[in-house]
Amino acid sequence: MKELQHYDKAAYNFYAKQRFKDLPILGWDIFSRYFQKICGDFNDVTTLQQISKQQSWEKSFSFNEEILQKEHIIVVTDTNLRIVHATKNIYDMNGYRPEEIKGLQPKIFQGPKTCAETASKIAIAVQNHQPFEAVILNYRKDGSHYNCWIKGGPVRNTTGEVVNFIAFEREVA
C-alpha cells in the first residue's frame, strides 16, 4: 500500500486544480479508465491551446468547457480542409482514432445517405468563410451511420486572415 501513497497524493493534487469534483469510487479499474479519459481530454485542451497560439488565433475558445463540460468533439482543419487535430473523444462517436484521420478531409465521414443539400450548405459556408450549424448524417468507420450536430466556422489570426476552420460536434438522436 505504500506505493499508492504517491498515487493518492498526485491524484489529489491533479483533481484539486480542476473545476469538477466527481470521482468514481466503484473500483480502481473504473477510476483508471476515467482518469485516462480525463488525461486524454486535458492533452487535447493543451494541444488545441498550442495550435491557437502557433496560428495566432484572434478569438480564444474555452476548450476546457467544450471538451470537459459539454463533451464536444473538436475538429480543426487547415485552410485546405485537411484535419490537423481531432480530439480523442471522436473515437467514441465514430470509431476513428485522431491519428487515422489527420491529413484527411472531414468528407471522410459522409456516405451514400448523407444529405447532399446539407453538405452543400456547409461547403458554401466554409467557402465563404461563414459560420455554420447543421445536423448531418455521417458514417462511422464500421459503415453504420449517425446524426452529427456540427457548429463550426473559420478561425482568423490577429491580422484577420483565415488560418483554420474549427468544428464542435456531437452525436444527436
Side-chain angles (χ1 to χ4, degrees):
M1 289 306 265
K2 197 172 191 176
E3 60 274 357
L4 290 178
Q5 289 175 338
H6 298 293
Y7 176 81
D8 287 342
K9 186 176 181 181
Y12 173 80
N13 289 335
F14 174 80
Y15 284 108
K17 296 176 187 173
Q18 308 313 314
R19 288 184 173 180
F20 53 87
K21 299 297 178 199
D22 296 333
L23 295 175
I25 57 172
L26 296 175
W28 284 105
D29 57 333
I30 294 170
F31 179 78
S32 176
R33 282 190 292 253
Y34 181 74
F35 187 75
Q36 288 173 350
K37 179 196 176 310
I38 294 297
C39 288
D41 290 347
F42 278 107
N43 286 338
D44 280 330
V45 167
T46 301
T47 300
L48 288 163
Q49 289 171 339
Q50 289 171 345
I51 292 169
S52 172
K53 186 176 181 180
Q54 289 169 350
Q55 296 292 330
S56 301
W57 288 2
E58 172 183 67
K59 179 181 177 184
S60 62
F61 296 93
S62 177
F63 298 122
N64 279 329
E65 180 182 342
E66 294 293 339
I67 296 171
L68 299 173
Q69 294 172 10
K70 295 180 180 178
E71 297 184 350
H72 286 159
I73 288 93
I74 300 177
V75 177
V76 177
T77 69
D78 61 18
T79 55
N80 295 316
L81 301 181
R82 301 280 178 200
I83 297 170
V84 295
H85 184 76
T87 53
K88 289 170 187 56
N89 58 354
I90 197 168
Y91 179 80
D92 297 330
M93 183 171 67
N94 63 25
Y96 286 99
R97 298 203 181 277
E99 56 273 10
E100 291 180 272
I101 58 174
K102 190 173 182 178
L104 302 177
Q105 293 187 329
K107 286 184 179 189
I108 188 174
F109 307 123
Q110 297 177 8
K113 293 184 180 179
T114 299
C115 176
E117 184 180 336
T118 303
S120 178
K121 286 180 182 178
I122 293 171
I124 290 168
V126 168
Q127 186 177 19
N128 293 327
H129 297 167
Q130 298 295 315
F132 61 89
E133 185 172 355
V135 174
I136 191 165
L137 185 83
N138 276 349
Y139 284 76
R140 293 183 179 91
K141 186 176 180 180
D142 68 7
S144 62
H145 52 80
Y146 63 99
N147 289 316
C148 184
W149 167 84
I150 305 171
K151 182 177 182 178
V155 180
R156 299 179 188 280
N157 65 12
T158 54
T159 64
E161 176 187 6
V162 173
V163 292
N164 293 103
F165 288 92
I166 193 166
F168 302 92
E169 306 178 9
R170 72 174 178 266
E171 185 174 354
V172 293

